[in-house]
Amino acid sequence: MIPPLPPDDDRLRAFRHALPAVEAGVYLNAGTAGPLPSEVAAAMADLAAWELGTGRAHPAFFELVAQRLDEARAGLASVLTADVDDVAVTTSTSHGMSLATWAARVGPGDRIVTTTLEHAGALGPVYALRDRGVGAVFAEVGDGSDDELTLAALAEAIDDRTRVVSVSHVAWSTGAVLPVARIAELAHARGALLVVDGAQAAGAIPLDVPSLGADFYAVPGQKWLLGPEGVAGLWVSPDRRVDLLPAFGGWSSYERLDARGSADPWPTARRYDAANWYKPALVGLARAVGWLAMYVGWEWIHGRALPLAHGVAERLAAIPGVELLTPRTRMATLVTFRVAGWTAEEVREELAARSFVVSRTVPSLDAVRFSVGAWNSVDELERTLRSVELIAAHTPGTIPPRRGLEIVDHRDP
């Protein structure tokens, strides 16, 4: 059994009621996109209706969206435990990672060091720069479970030519939490910048980003923050604000261009905002983060999700035929596993058809990944795990058929 949690039935019921998608299936894929709160969808619909009925060029519209931009920035700063002036509002984690990676202005002969656990969104700028003559080094860190192995591999890879070290806080594949603070010390000792992909950390685990020592920390809006796609955040260390080339994307930047077209050099991260977001999405992120903080409570969210994830990992590890790939001593809320005799896609499809489980695969590992959230109930997780037990006890050819619906024809012959 998953260890019992403190009584919170009423709170959980209210939380789940506000997330309609969690009633349509066992929602275990917030690592891709979290369940959208009804309140967020309503706020986005309201602004979309304004765009349709009043127009997108009305002065009052711009004033409203500017206010919501400030709210979104403040919400992101709260999640990151950061100063609001250190947060830029971007369009995705990948966008933030690209901005930050290019900030070092690397060129031929320089190096970027990353790990073998990184997501394609973080690797995009690495490959782009490699095509321009920049060396790309991939440190072999295994599954991320051994901090000393991780640090030793990075120490060997980082040298005096290294300009950027790019790592995840929580590995998207195995779910391992990497020792970011110690990696920052190692990178800075060699004169390199540390760029962190926080896609599977922001909203999933408590964060104090300034204390990590990173130079840049990119986060999404649509995953654990339960916002829409198309809007995200980039934390920029106060020491690194001037490293980024100004994007002049947001209203704040435009307003600070003087008649000669030069920028007011006020050194805040908001100079690097993206340009021309889909405005309802911006409003949606502001509402989602504020709703989670004030209506649900981050302490409750983290206090519930982390024990649930650990309980799921423990149960999976005990099932014969199941190989748990997530290191239990270094995990957050992602749980990755394989089932002997089954491909990952076969397992995912069987869980979806048999128990209405919404999950995803990690193709590079041929594994299934569960993203356990505070919205999950113990009962639905137990049903999911019993389905995994059933799958592991059979092969695709021997598993009992799923119960079908009997169609009764009441028409007269």
Side-chain angles (χ1 to χ4, degrees):
M1 296 288 291
I2 294 175
L5 298 172
D8 59 359
D9 289 348
D10 291 341
R11 194 169 190 175
L12 177 61
R13 190 177 301 110
F15 187 30
R16 288 174 61 87
H17 180 72
L19 303 170
V22 307
E23 301 295 348
V26 184
Y27 205 104
L28 292 171
N29 199 14
T32 295
L36 197 67
S38 296
E39 184 169 333
V40 172
M44 294 170 64
D46 285 346
L47 191 62
W50 187 348
E51 288 188 333
L52 177 63
T54 306
R56 294 175 290 179
H58 196 286
F61 177 81
F62 284 97
E63 182 178 348
L64 172 66
V65 175
Q67 293 171 357
R68 298 299 177 264
L69 172 61
D70 287 342
E71 290 177 7
R73 192 189 318 281
L76 290 168
S78 176
V79 170
L80 303 176
T81 317
D83 190 296
V84 68
D85 283 338
D86 296 335
V87 178
V89 182
T90 61
T91 61
S92 66
T93 308
S94 300
H95 179 202
M97 293 297 288
S98 294
L99 269 175
T101 303
W102 284 90
R105 298 179 176 84
V106 294
D110 294 330
R111 299 177 71 183
I112 296 178
V113 171
T114 186
T115 80
T116 49
L117 290 178
E118 305 312 313
H119 188 271
L123 294 178
V126 175
Y127 285 123
L129 287 167
R130 186 179 67 172
D131 291 342
R132 297 190 177 196
V134 176
V137 181
F138 294 82
E140 175 56 67
V141 298
D143 61 6
S145 62
D146 187 334
D147 286 358
E148 300 309 317
L149 172 65
T150 296
L151 292 165
L154 287 168
E156 183 177 355
I158 301 170
D159 61 16
D160 58 5
R161 295 171 293 165
T162 304
R163 296 292 175 264
V164 175
V165 177
S166 179
V167 301
S168 296
H169 194 169
V170 177
W172 76 280
S173 53
T174 68
V177 180
L178 300 186
V180 171
R182 296 178 67 186
I183 296 172
E185 293 176 357
L186 181 60
H188 293 159
R190 308 280 175 86
L193 301 180
L194 178 63
V195 178
V196 179
D197 178 347
Q200 302 300 342
I205 60 176
L207 289 177
D208 182 353
V209 169
S211 72
L212 294 174
D215 297 286
F216 304 98
Y217 194 101
V219 300
Q222 83 279 9
K223 297 181 186 289
W224 303 96
L225 299 183
L226 309 190
E229 288 90 346
V231 62
L234 174 67
W235 177 84
V236 182
S237 167
D239 296 332
R240 300 301 176 194
R241 290 173 185 162
V242 297
D243 288 332
L244 284 174
L245 295 173
F248 303 131
W251 288 278
S252 299
S253 297
Y254 285 129
E255 292 167 357
R256 286 164 177 80
L257 289 174
D258 65 23
R260 297 179 303 279
S262 61
D264 181 351
W266 57 297
T268 65
R270 70 186 66 193
R271 291 180 66 197
Y272 315 115
D273 287 344
N276 207 27
W277 304 272
Y278 177 56
K279 308 307 187 297
L282 187 67
V283 169
L285 177 62
R287 184 62 59 89
V289 178
W291 180 79
L292 286 170
M294 294 183 286
Y295 178 80
V296 187
W298 287 115
E299 184 177 356
W300 182 85
I301 291 170
H302 296 145
R304 178 176 175 80
L306 289 167
L308 282 177
H310 278 265
V312 168
E314 293 287 344
R315 280 287 305 280
L316 286 170
I319 298 174
V322 172
E323 179 186 4
L324 180 69
L325 302 181
T326 297
R328 281 175 281 175
T329 59
R330 299 292 301 161
M331 67 176 289
T333 51
L334 299 180
V335 186
T336 305
F337 65 97
R338 294 192 191 105
V339 179
W342 294 73
T343 67
E345 186 59 25
E346 288 171 336
V347 174
R348 188 202 64 76
E349 289 179 352
E350 190 68 30
L351 287 172
R354 194 172 289 275
S355 301
F356 304 103
V357 175
V358 181
S359 62
R360 70 153 292 166
T361 65
V362 180
S364 60
L365 299 177
D366 193 22
V368 176
R369 190 188 75 184
F370 288 165
S371 304
V372 182
W375 51 83
N376 291 125
S377 70
V378 171
D379 286 345
E380 68 182 3
L381 291 175
E382 288 288 353
R383 292 197 305 272
T384 299
L385 291 166
R386 287 197 295 271
S387 293
V388 175
E389 288 178 336
L390 177 65
I391 292 169
H394 294 85
T395 68
T398 65
I399 193 167
R402 296 185 292 273
R403 182 180 300 174
L405 294 175
E406 181 180 356
I407 308 300
V408 178
D409 190 346
H410 293 287
R411 294 174 299 178
D412 292 334

